[in-house]
C-alpha cells in the first residue's frame, strides 16, 4: 500500500469512528427536547450537537437541521438578520416552536416591525423591553460601567480645542441609513465645527492605529473619543429601546453624547442629565447654539458629567440589571445567546398549556422618515427615502407571504416565490 493510500485509509476510518461516536450520543439523547439554530450566522457551541443544562432540565442544542421525530418537542431559533421566506424550517408541525433572536438594527430586516411578521414567532429576544427575553442592555456590562472610567479633565479638553479639535466628533462609515442621520449632521456642520472621521461626511483622517475595524472596543479608540467634548450618537434606525454602543461608548469615556434614536432612551441612562437629546431642539441651528454655550462654559459642560462622580440614580435601570439572567463579558454568567437558548429550553421542557405568540410590541418600529427638511438639490444631500420606505412596506408583504405558506401547510421553503409574487411590493 502506498503512503498516500495508507493516509487516506486512516482518514476514512477516523471519520467512521467519529460518526459512530456522534450517533451514540444522538441515541442516548434522542428523547431530550431539541433546539435547532436555524441560521448560517450563529451557533454558540463548538460541537454540532451539544447537550445543555438549564434551570428546568436538559436539552439538545443542534447546528444540524434534522428535526428528529414527532414525539420530541423542537424549537427553532431563527436569527433576524438572515431570516427569509426562502429558507424556513418547513413544514412547521404542531410540536415546533419558532424563536426569534434579533439584537441588531431593525433596518437589517423590517419584517419584524409588522404584526404579520412578528407573530410568526412564539418567543422573542430583541432589543425591546417588551420581548420575552429583552436584550436592551446588551452593551451595559454593569452599573459600574458608567462610573469606573473618569473623563478627561475639562482643562485638557479645552487644550485639545485650542490645538484644533472641533467640539464635536462624528464617526460613521455606514452612510445613507434609514434614520437619515447624515443629512442632519450635514446641516449641523453649517453652524459649527464637526470632525468627521468615517466615510460619511468625511473631513478628517483617522490616526493609522485606528483604521482597523478591530479597534471598535479597544483602548486606542476609547482614548481618541475621550478627548472630544461631544460625540454624535445617532442610531442608524429609530425604534423604541434600540440603543447601541454609539451611546454607551461615549458615556463610558466621558464624551457627552448628542443622541437621536430611541424615544425611550432616558429609561436606560445613568442620569437624566447625561445626554443631549437632538429631539429637544427645533433644528440643527438651535442645537448648534446650545452646544456652543456648553463649549464656552466649563460649569455647564461638567453638569453633564456629574454621573461620573456619583452612584447611578436610575432605579429602573438598576432593577433591570439586577434581574437580568445573562451577562456581558462575564465569565461567570451565560452570554445572551446561551441565555436565550436556556430560556427556550426551559419553555419546551413543560407541556404547552397555551401557545405563546409574539406581538408587535416585541419590536415596534415606525416607517423611516427624513431627518430634517432641506431645499437642497445637491445629490450628495439626498436620502434614499423611496428605497427605505419601500423596503419597510415590502417587509410586510414578505411576512404575509410567509403567513400564507404556513396556512397552506407548505412543505418547501423554495416555493416562497409563488406566495410573494401576488403582493404589491414584489
Amino acid at each position: 500500500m502506498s503512503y498516500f493510500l495508507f493516509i487516506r485509509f486512516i482518514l476514512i476510518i477516523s471519520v467512521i469512528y467519529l460518526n459512530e461516536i456522534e450517533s451514540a450520543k444522538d441515541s442516548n439523547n434522542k428523547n431530550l427536547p431539541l433546539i435547532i439554530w436555524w441560521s448560517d450566522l450563529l451557533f454558540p457551541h463548538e460541537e454540532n450537537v451539544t447537550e445543555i443544562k438549564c434551570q428546568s432540565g436538559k436539552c439538545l442544542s443542534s447546528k444540524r437541521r434534522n428535526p428528529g421525530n414527532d414525539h420530541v418537542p423542537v424549537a427553532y431559533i431563527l436569527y433576524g438578520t438572515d431570516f427569509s421566506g426562502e429558507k424556513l424550517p418547513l413544514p412547521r408541525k404542531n410540536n415546533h416552536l419558532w424563536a426569534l433572536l434579533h439584537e441588531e438594527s431593525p433596518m437589517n430586516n423590517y419584517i419584524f416591525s409588522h404584526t404579520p411578521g412578528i407573530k410568526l414567532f412564539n418567543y422573542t429576544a430583541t432589543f425591546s423591553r417588551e420581548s420575552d427575553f429583552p436584550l436592551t442592555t446588551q452593551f451595559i456590562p454593569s452599573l459600574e460601567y458608567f462610573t469606573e472610567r473618569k473623563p478627561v479633565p475639562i482643562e485638557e479638553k479645552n487644550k485639545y480645542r485650542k490645538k484644533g479639535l472641533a467640539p464635536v466628533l462624528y464617526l460613521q462609515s455606514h452612510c445613507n441609513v434609514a434614520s437619515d442621520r447624515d443629512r442632519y449632521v450635514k446641516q449641523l456642520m453649517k453652524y459649527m465645527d464637526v470632525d468627521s472621521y468615517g466615510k460619511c461626511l468625511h473631513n478628517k483622517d483617522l490616526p493609522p492605529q485606528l483604521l482597523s475595524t478591530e479597534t471598535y472596543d479597544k483602548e486606542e479608540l476609547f482614548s481618541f473619543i475621550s478627548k472630544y467634548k461631544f460625540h454624535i450618537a445617532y442610531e442608524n434606525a429609530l425604534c423604541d429601546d434600540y440603543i447601541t454602543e454609539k451611546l454607551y461608548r461615549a458615556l463610558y469615556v466621558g464624551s457627552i453624547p448628542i443622541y437621536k434614536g430611541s424615544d425611550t432612551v432616558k429609561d436606560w441612562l445613568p442620569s437624566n442629565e447625561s445626554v443631549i437629546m437632538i429631539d429637544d431642539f427645533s433644528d440643527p441651528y438651535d442645537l448648534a447654539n446650545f452646544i456652543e454655550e456648553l463649549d464656552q462654559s466649563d460649569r455647564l459642560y461638567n453638569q453633564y458629567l456629574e454621573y461620573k462622580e456619583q452612584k447611578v440614580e436610575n432605579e429602573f435601570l438598576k432593577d433591570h440589571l439586577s434581574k437580568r439572567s445573562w451577562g456581558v463579558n462575564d465569565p461567570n454568567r451565560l452570554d445572551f445567546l446561551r441565555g436565550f437558548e436556556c430560556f427556550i429550553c426551559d419553555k419546551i421542557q413543560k407541556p404547552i398549556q397555551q401557545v405563546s405568540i409574539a406581538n408587535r410590541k416585541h419590536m415596534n418600529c415606525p416607517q423611516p422618515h427624513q431627518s430634517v427638511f432641506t431645499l437642497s438639490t445637491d445629490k450628495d444631500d439626498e436620502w434614499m427615502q423611496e428605497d427605505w420606505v419601500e423596503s419597510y412596506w415590502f417587509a410586510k408583504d414578505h411576512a404575509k407571504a410567509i403567513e400564507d405558506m404556513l396556512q397552506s401547510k407548505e412543505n418547501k421553503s423554495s416555493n416562497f416565490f409563488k406566495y410573494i409574487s401576488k403582493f404589491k411590493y414584489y
Side-chain angles (χ1 to χ4, degrees):
M1 181 183 295
S2 72
Y3 174 77
F4 292 107
L5 286 176
F6 176 74
I7 293 298
R8 185 178 180 187
F9 174 75
I10 293 297
L11 288 173
I12 292 172
I13 294 298
S14 299
V15 169
I16 293 172
Y17 177 70
L18 290 173
N19 285 340
E20 286 179 351
I21 290 176
E22 289 212 357
S23 296
K25 285 183 181 178
D26 292 347
S27 177
N28 292 335
N29 297 323
K30 65 181 180 181
N31 293 320
L32 289 180
L34 178 62
I35 297 173
I36 297 176
W37 286 78
W38 195 268
S39 169
D40 296 327
L41 301 176
L42 290 182
F43 185 66
H45 306 287
E46 292 184 4
E47 296 186 11
N48 288 340
V49 180
T50 302
E51 182 180 290
I52 61 173
K53 296 179 182 179
C54 300
Q55 188 173 352
S56 298
K58 298 178 181 179
C59 290
L60 283 184
S61 177
S62 177
K63 190 177 183 180
R64 297 179 185 169
R65 297 190 171 183
N66 182 355
N69 61 65
D70 289 342
H71 302 293
V72 175
V74 179
Y76 292 91
I77 295 181
L78 299 107
Y79 186 44
T81 296
D82 66 350
F83 178 82
S84 169
E86 297 174 90
K87 44 183 180 179
L88 298 175
L90 299 180
R92 187 174 184 177
K93 299 180 180 180
N94 292 334
N95 68 327
H96 291 181
L97 293 178
W98 283 12
L100 169 67
L101 175 65
H102 193 45
E103 89 291 10
E104 293 208 9
S105 172
M107 79 173 195
N108 286 9
N109 201 336
Y110 274 118
I111 193 171
F112 316 114
S113 299
H114 303 280
T115 299
I118 198 67
K119 75 175 187 179
L120 296 170
F121 300 91
N122 304 105
Y123 298 103
T124 65
T126 76
F127 48 76
S128 171
R129 74 185 78 186
E130 299 291 343
S131 69
D132 300 295
F133 193 85
L135 304 177
T136 322
T137 56
Q138 61 178 304
F139 297 105
I140 307 177
S142 65
L143 285 174
E144 292 71 31
Y145 177 78
F146 294 110
T147 57
E148 64 188 8
R149 184 187 181 113
K150 301 308 174 187
V152 173
I154 188 63
E155 295 80 12
E156 289 189 35
K157 287 184 178 180
N158 286 334
K159 289 179 182 178
Y160 287 124
R161 288 280 290 112
K162 290 178 181 178
K163 290 179 181 179
L165 247 60
V168 178
L169 167 68
Y170 187 52
L171 186 58
Q172 293 297 334
S173 290
H174 193 179
C175 311
N176 291 320
V177 294
S179 65
D180 192 29
R181 62 188 172 203
D182 294 337
R183 182 195 301 270
Y184 189 95
V185 175
K186 188 173 183 179
Q187 289 297 304
L188 184 66
M189 286 175 163
K190 293 181 178 180
Y191 309 114
M192 66 178 309
D193 291 335
V194 176
D195 286 345
S196 182
Y197 291 90
K199 293 179 182 177
C200 313
L201 307 178
H202 180 87
N203 63 16
K204 213 164 187 178
D205 294 333
L206 276 170
Q209 68 271 21
L210 294 179
L211 292 176
S212 170
T213 56
E214 297 178 359
T215 62
Y216 79 98
D217 62 348
K218 297 292 190 294
E219 175 56 34
E220 295 95 328
L221 182 60
F222 296 156
S223 178
F224 178 77
I225 295 173
S226 68
K227 297 174 183 177
Y228 279 87
K229 286 188 171 183
F230 307 92
H231 180 28
I232 296 175
Y234 201 133
E235 305 292 4
N236 60 24
L238 310 180
C239 195
D240 284 354
D241 293 340
Y242 176 62
I243 308 162
T244 68
E245 80 285 351
K246 298 176 188 66
L247 173 65
Y248 292 121
R249 186 168 53 199
L251 289 167
Y252 173 66
V253 304
S255 177
I256 299 175
I258 301 170
Y259 182 77
K260 171 79 173 181
S262 168
D263 288 340
T264 58
V265 69
K266 288 187 177 179
D267 289 343
W268 309 99
L269 297 178
S271 72
N272 284 333
E273 194 175 34
S274 55
V275 171
I276 297 170
M277 306 293 294
I278 287 177
D279 284 345
D280 287 344
F281 301 88
S282 58
D283 52 38
Y285 175 76
D286 192 20
L287 173 62
N289 286 337
F290 181 76
I291 295 172
E292 184 178 357
E293 182 182 0
L294 295 189
D295 186 31
Q296 298 299 319
S297 171
D298 293 351
R299 179 184 63 82
L300 293 177
Y301 180 85
N302 279 329
Q303 286 179 359
Y304 279 83
L305 295 176
E306 287 181 356
Y307 70 93
K308 287 287 189 181
E309 305 299 328
Q310 56 197 19
K311 291 183 178 180
V312 173
E313 302 169 356
N314 187 334
E315 293 298 327
F316 173 82
L317 178 60
K318 288 163 67 175
D319 181 67
H320 183 90
L321 289 177
S322 70
K323 294 176 180 177
R324 189 172 67 180
S325 62
W326 46 277
V328 178
N329 301 325
D330 186 343
N332 298 315
R333 306 183 75 186
L334 296 177
D335 56 38
F336 67 77
L337 294 179
R338 291 177 298 149
F340 184 50
E341 180 182 63
C342 259
F343 173 86
I344 296 301
C345 177
D346 291 337
K347 291 295 182 183
I348 61 175
Q349 285 288 339
K350 304 171 185 177
I352 300 173
Q353 304 297 327
Q354 183 176 357
V355 177
S356 176
I357 301 294
N359 62 66
R360 190 168 177 180
K361 288 183 179 179
H362 290 216
M363 196 170 153
N364 186 18
C365 305
Q367 174 187 301
H369 60 272
Q370 191 169 311
S371 64
V372 62
F373 178 74
T374 64
L375 294 174
S376 173
T377 57
D378 184 355
K379 276 197 170 184
D380 291 336
D381 200 31
E382 289 180 358
W383 173 62
M384 297 183 292
Q385 179 172 352
E386 290 185 5
D387 289 350
W388 283 117
V389 171
E390 184 171 307
S391 175
Y392 182 83
W393 291 111
F394 173 75
K396 186 174 183 178
D397 288 347
H398 193 151
K400 287 180 177 179
I402 296 175
E403 194 175 44
D404 286 353
M405 291 175 74
L406 298 181
Q407 289 174 356
S408 300
K409 307 293 184 182
E410 177 61 58
N411 288 321
K412 295 181 179 179
S413 191
S414 57
N415 288 331
F416 175 69
F417 176 80
K418 179 177 69 174
Y419 295 86
I420 190 65
S421 61
K422 65 181 180 181
F423 288 96
K424 172 185 175 184
Y425 279 92
Y426 172 72

